Amino acid sequence: MRMSQYFLPTMKETPSEAQIVSHRLMLRAGLVRQTSAGIYAWLPLGLRVLRNIERIVREEQDGAGAQEVLMPTIQSADLWRESGRYDAYGPEMLRIKDRHDREMLYGPTNEEMITVLFRDGVKSYRDLPKNLYHIQWKFRDEVRPRFGVMRGREFLMKDNYSFDIDKAGAIHSYNRMFVAYLRTFARMGLKAIPMRADTGPIGGDLSHEFIILAETGESAVFCHKGLVDKDILSRKIDYASDLQGIVNEWTSLYAATDEMHDAKAFEALPESERLAARGIEVGHIFYFGTKYSKPMNAVVAGPGGEQITVEMGSYGIGVSRLVGGIIEASHDDAGIVWPEEVAPFKVAIVNLKPDDGAVGGACQKLYDALGAKGVAVLHDDRDMRPGGKFADMDLIGIPWQVIVGPKGLAAGKVEVKNRKTGTREELPPEQVLARFG
RNA sequence: CGGGGCGUAGCGCAGUCUGGUAGCGCGUCUGCCUUGGGCGCAGAAGGUCGUCGGUUCGAAUCCGGCCGCCCCGACCA
């Protein structure tokens, strides 16, 4: 993408409504614009990040055996009357009426709808297990939206639902998602720690929140230090196998949010192993048995012809929240520092002198060659002074900056700067291609 | 939902107390200059002062209603 043509409204100053760093940076870097309290429009650069996060979530869900569907944002009130949650959910649910005066709602979650889809489509134990996910916008009419996209009213969420014949199967489904979540967040460059959680209004008796550590996190968290650096990506995962061992590795070490905190157990750890910090919840998984399947009659025929109520679990990742969460976890004074996997572009070419034919030609050549290799590259070909370009590039946080100026070029070199470490290298352009190809 | 605050140019703000017809910085546009970290000079455009009503010869300014947004708390994925 050529920056001179890109819709990328960056700002030098911070709009006064933004208080936390991720919100400030998202506005300044031209990722989003607020349109109402807790509701945001995603601009091109922000949308690329959002799509990258979706992509990783999707790959990991598929890899763990979940299947993608897409359910609507608007649901019928009758559906929610069936589970008994229409009245229970309260004012956080946005209720609307259509032209025929039918009661509808903007979905805050999809347990009811998925249960009906499952119930109508699956009649035999032979079709189990099933795990269905979708990535869709949700609306929860928060009393007080805040922190930018991290607590918006409209937000993009991956939610999925598992259906098993018995509790053992349901626990296996739960464990699969547990491991898939560890991988998902690790791939985004995050250290997400699973913590024993309160099941809240969704209900159930087994639940973990996945929390990333950040100073500005909403909740206080306490855990064993060993959890921070545990690595999942280097392991080969067989989702068909018993995953309980891996789950136990993570759950045997102490980790809890403040509402589940057991000060005694925590203080029993050696002081050097205790970590008390703040965190942002980016995922939440639940096993809830027959809480929905029973009232909504989601049953299948068992081997002996008997009717068996299915065992369910639900699993959520706050996709749009992650954009803010990643920034909270990865930024510096100059701006955002995107982890490569989610970065809107991997490489940025900074043309220091656009009206110099040689410099422009070298930039264009690099741009075309990198593009041909499938590298996402942003070309700052704007007619601006270098200072502003550097500032913008640091602000939007592209991992690699290839800086091309007349001086270096005369010596046959361009400069490659790493956004995260600040290290710079002078290389001939061909080597740049080799590096990022 | 309790408490507090704010709404004036794209962004940040002054002006409101004490009523007299709107200003600063940044950004934007034009020209010149400059070109390795938001450079300089000159010129220009851009605002029904959130909205409705009231008081007044006259309202950004005073009074009232409404709307919107933010912060703290409670609540919450």
Side-chain angles (χ1 to χ4, degrees), chain A residues 350 352 380 385-395 401 403:
Chain A
V350 183
L352 291 184
D380 191 351
R385 294 176 53 81
K389 294 191 170 189
F390 290 131
D392 269 347
M393 209 48 81
D394 286 347
L395 175 64
Q401 298 172 12
I403 299 160

Side-chain angles (χ1 to χ4, degrees), chain A residues 125-136:
Chain A
Y125 78 99
R126 293 184 189 179
D127 294 326
L128 295 182
K130 282 280 177 289
N131 188 332
L132 302 172
Y133 76 97
H134 76 158
I135 298 174
Q136 179 62 291

